[in-house]
Amino acid sequence: MELRGKNVPRLREVDDIERSTNKKARESWHVLTIMAEFIESIERLSEVRPAVSIFGSARTKPGHPDYQLCLDIARHLSDAGFAVISGGGPGIMEAANKGAYAGLSPSVGLNILLPHEQHGNEWQDISLQFRHFFARKVAFVKYADAYVVLPGGFGTLDELTEALTLMQTGKSRRMPIILVGKQFWSGFLAWISTQLVTDGMIAKHDVELMQLIDDPTDIVTAIEEFYKTNPKKPPTPEQQTDTYV
């Protein structure tokens, strides 16, 4: 393929036919496994509503204040009628599943296969296995009616900013995003306000997508109050096609 005098080869034009065929077969297999994960999540989770996705560090140990707080939050949510979705692993994920497992509503684990750190916890009423972060991240957003985010590392920040981006751009419906841990998140929120807003990287009202709440009862109340003033409506055909709903 010639593009303004540049040589931009296509896979079909590679001289090594065997390499070309192997590459297409490998990538096709990846696409099929991603499709399979989407189909299974639809089958297992589409009727498990309402639900709250909980995020936080996989490295938080039992007995840590954040672990104990997450247990309490998950139990309150579960008893209030919310299924709880976590990543299915240790740390905050385990606390979320354990708290929900003891409650009245389902405990859901979206497990990811990793070479280290991740192993499934035992407190899952519904357990799904993912090989691909992409399909797993879609499930976290698609089947949740709120996000509760406790202190965590890169993975936690990734899930948080992904949800914020989808809501900011209208690719997902707006839902409550609740940050838990005032001491942990205060600096992050201050940086967003003083740096991102000041520099025009985001709008001032984008900060309002997040709430900072530590009390489990208040978290449940905040989610319930949100849907009293913002009742869920059936998605339009356009929303079903273009957004995560």
Side-chain angles (χ1 to χ4, degrees), residues 65-137:
D66 290 343
Y67 188 101
Q68 297 302 316
L69 179 57
C70 185
L71 276 173
D72 200 9
I73 292 168
R75 179 62 186 268
H76 274 73
L77 288 167
S78 182
D79 285 343
F82 294 96
V84 171
I85 303 172
S86 92
I92 293 299
M93 295 178 283
E94 177 182 286
N97 284 137
K98 188 174 182 180
Y101 193 81
L104 300 176
S105 303
S107 170
V108 181
L110 307 183
N111 302 267
I112 185 74
L113 298 175
L114 295 175
H116 61 86
E117 201 169 85
Q118 173 84 340
H119 59 272
N121 66 68
E122 60 184 288
W123 292 283
Q124 301 177 45
D125 297 304
I126 301 172
S127 179
L128 281 77
Q129 298 290 333
F130 290 85
R131 294 178 60 192
H132 304 279
F133 272 111
F134 170 70
R136 181 177 181 246
K137 288 170 74 173

Side-chain angles (χ1 to χ4, degrees), residues 1-10 13:
M1 176 182 177
E2 292 294 330
L3 180 65
R4 293 182 296 163
K6 297 180 181 180
N7 180 29
V8 184
R10 294 178 178 175
E13 297 168 352

